Amino acid sequence: MNIHEYQAKRILSQYGIVIPKGMIAYTPTEAKKAAAKVSFRGPWVLKAQIQSGARNKGYFLEKKAGRKGGIRLIKSRKDIAAEAEKMLGSTLVTVQTGPKGKQVGRVYVEAYNKVKKNFYASLVIDRTIPAITLLVADTNNEDITSLAISAPERILRLTLDLITGASAEQIEKVIEFLHLNPKVFKNMETFINGMHQAFVDYDAVMIEVNPVGVAATGQIIALDAKMSFDNNALYRHKDISMLQDEYEEEDRELKAAKYGFQYSEFDGNIGCIVNGDGIALAAMDLIRTKGNNGTACFLNVKGGVDKDKIAAGIKIIMTNPRVEGILINILGGFLRCNLIADGIVAAASEVGLNVPLVVRFEGTNKDEAKDILEHSKLPIIIAEDMEDSVDKLIEAMEESD
């Protein structure tokens, strides 16, 4: 789950990290009032609040928004309302949103902070170790993704201790890497270990501050912020769950979440329904090695569900226009295979089955599940194992072209 910049900044500020003074606004009038409260004098920074990076380099689809991007420097208070009106209700397109873009429903009015230097900082989980890893780079206004490809040596990677965070030696290494004055040590320590503690406390999977500003006084300022959280841990953080912006979620992803399912979309043409991350990844790899276009989406169902919930999940997959074939791969344990079979029949009977569907069951009540599908008289193909299921689906899809 992702949250907006202003929400992420509020969380980071609880850990001693300095953020510019700012206020959220939903109307042009609110934006003008917010500017007066944020700073008596300008300039101000007006920021479109969509869950995407590179907003400053983005563009709006509507002419009324003008040619400027999603982050604008406003020097006069009288211009705040006019610029906010241009942004609100308009669609901002960035390299991360895709060509459809995202509609701006709120703007963040922030006091402008003059800094001497900017740099990039983030915390992510390196699953190959596994450990929380700090990434730091002097990007010089370059895109961090491009930098990682063209000049990876310009990115410092440090593995942090889960309990204690960054050591004094690691803080010094960051300062030296960025060519900063050693006198900023205390501020840098507060910044990095504040990020680390927030990461651990909130079960985050990513915290990114881009850019981080270094003021003439040595103060370290989070000029932007982005946070993503582990969906599986949200039950521990009701306050974070309440921050979810449903307007930012894809309709199918939102529906799946309401049933307790994990749903993800990709660029391929096969929809996968599985009950476990391991099975999902194995199926995706196998589909890719078979030379198909790849996975369009996968729905990860879990135990503790009934026939109606399973049917609802399957309908989500069936209504994805990218899907040209469906692969259902279930390893029944706590989740009984016959429940999945009942759900398949219910969903297919209601929505219709206009693409090939291959099912592979293994585990609890698998024979009963196969009987249910066979007696349904629906054009469902039953496979014996994972490779057989992928082969049969690709063959059926080629025959249906």
Side-chain angles (χ1 to χ4, degrees):
M1 179 187 138
N2 300 314
I3 59 175
H4 288 289
E5 171 197 359
Y6 74 97
Q7 296 165 333
K9 282 181 173 177
R10 287 175 184 173
I11 292 174
L12 294 178
S13 68
Q14 298 170 11
Y15 292 85
I17 294 174
V18 179
I19 63 171
K21 189 174 181 181
M23 290 183 67
I24 198 69
Y26 295 86
T27 68
T29 301
E30 287 182 5
K32 186 176 180 179
K33 291 179 179 178
K37 293 179 181 179
V38 164
S39 177
F40 180 74
R41 292 178 181 170
W44 297 266
V45 184
L46 189 64
K47 299 184 172 184
Q49 292 299 284
I50 64 168
Q51 292 173 6
S52 171
R55 289 167 295 159
N56 60 320
K57 296 179 181 178
Y59 63 91
F60 286 93
L61 294 179
E62 294 81 5
K63 288 184 179 180
K64 68 118 174 170
R67 295 185 177 182
K68 296 179 182 178
I71 297 178
R72 302 180 178 186
L73 185 66
I74 313 296
K75 296 182 179 180
S76 174
R77 191 186 302 171
K78 64 181 177 64
D79 295 330
I80 290 285
E83 291 297 323
E85 187 170 9
K86 291 178 182 179
M87 286 189 183
L88 290 166
S90 297
T91 308
L92 180 59
V93 177
T94 73
V95 293
Q96 295 182 11
T97 65
K100 289 184 178 180
K102 291 184 177 182
Q103 189 177 67
V104 178
R106 63 192 92 175
V107 292
Y108 193 43
V109 185
E110 197 171 62
Y112 174 75
N113 279 245
K114 188 176 181 179
V115 295
K116 290 183 65 178
K117 182 182 180 68
N118 290 333
F119 66 92
Y120 171 94
S122 69
L123 287 178
V124 295
I125 298 174
D126 186 339
R127 300 185 186 278
T128 63
I129 302 177
I132 298 173
T133 301
L134 172 68
L135 304 178
V136 175
D138 189 348
T139 58
N140 193 27
N141 294 321
E142 296 176 62
D143 177 66
I144 188 66
T145 306
S146 301
L147 197 65
I149 297 171
S150 63
E153 70 280 359
R154 289 174 54 189
I155 301 175
L156 177 66
R157 295 167 172 82
L158 296 174
T159 300
L160 304 188
D161 186 276
L162 178 63
I163 306 301
T164 60
S167 66
E169 291 78 10
Q170 288 176 318
I171 301 296
E172 289 171 354
K173 188 174 289 188
V174 170
I175 293 171
E176 183 180 353
F177 184 81
L178 295 172
H179 305 289
L180 295 175
N181 190 316
K183 291 181 180 179
V184 305
F185 178 89
K186 188 64 180 176
N187 291 335
M188 185 65 77
E189 182 180 44
T190 299
F191 173 76
I192 292 175
N193 283 331
M195 284 178 63
H196 176 268
Q197 196 59 51
F199 193 99
V200 173
D201 288 351
Y202 284 97
D203 292 299
V205 293
M206 188 273 293
I207 296 180
E208 181 180 73
V209 182
N210 184 30
V212 186
V214 184
T217 60
Q219 191 176 56
I220 309 293
I221 308 168
L223 298 176
D224 199 352
K226 184 178 180 181
M227 292 185 73
S228 299
F229 306 92
D230 185 347
N231 289 345
N232 295 317
L234 288 177
Y235 72 94
R236 291 201 290 251
H237 307 287
K238 302 299 182 184
D239 54 335
I240 297 298
S241 298
M242 292 172 62
L243 299 179
Q244 185 178 32
D245 184 354
E246 294 190 356
Y247 289 101
E248 287 279 341
E249 305 290 342
E250 290 291 339
D251 184 50
R252 283 182 289 274
E253 185 177 340
L254 195 60
K255 286 179 180 177
K258 287 181 178 178
Y259 289 106
F261 302 146
Q262 181 185 359
Y263 177 83
S264 300
E265 292 194 352
F266 306 95
D267 296 327
N269 62 350
I270 291 179
C272 293
I273 299 174
V274 298
N275 65 325
D277 291 335
I279 297 177
L281 293 173
M284 290 171 70
D285 287 344
L286 193 55
I287 289 168
R288 192 181 300 111
T289 59
K290 294 290 182 178
N292 187 266
N293 289 340
T295 307
C297 56
F298 78 77
L299 183 78
N300 194 350
V301 301
K302 301 178 181 179
V305 298
D306 55 28
K307 183 185 83 170
D308 292 335
K309 286 186 177 180
I310 291 295
I314 292 169
K315 282 188 282 186
I316 291 170
I317 289 279
M318 288 179 170
T319 55
N320 185 328
R322 280 186 173 275
V323 172
E324 298 175 10
I326 300 174
L327 175 66
I328 300 179
N329 199 331
I330 299 297
L331 180 60
F334 181 71
L335 178 58
R336 291 171 291 159
C337 293
N338 61 302
L339 270 182
I340 299 291
D342 285 335
I344 293 170
V345 173
S349 299
E350 181 178 340
V351 179
L353 196 57
N354 56 1
V355 297
L357 188 152
V358 176
V359 179
R360 177 252 181 163
F361 288 128
E362 192 62 58
T364 307
N365 295 349
K366 75 170 185 178
D367 293 333
E368 183 181 341
K370 289 179 180 179
D371 288 340
I372 291 170
L373 295 183
E374 288 171 353
H375 285 90
S376 71
K377 305 301 181 182
L378 291 166
I380 297 172
I381 303 167
I382 299 176
E384 294 303 317
D385 55 44
M386 187 181 295
E387 186 165 4
D388 183 43
S389 66
V390 174
D391 287 339
K392 286 181 174 177
L393 180 58
I394 292 175
E395 182 181 351
M397 290 169 64
E398 290 174 350
E399 290 176 356
S400 65
D401 286 343

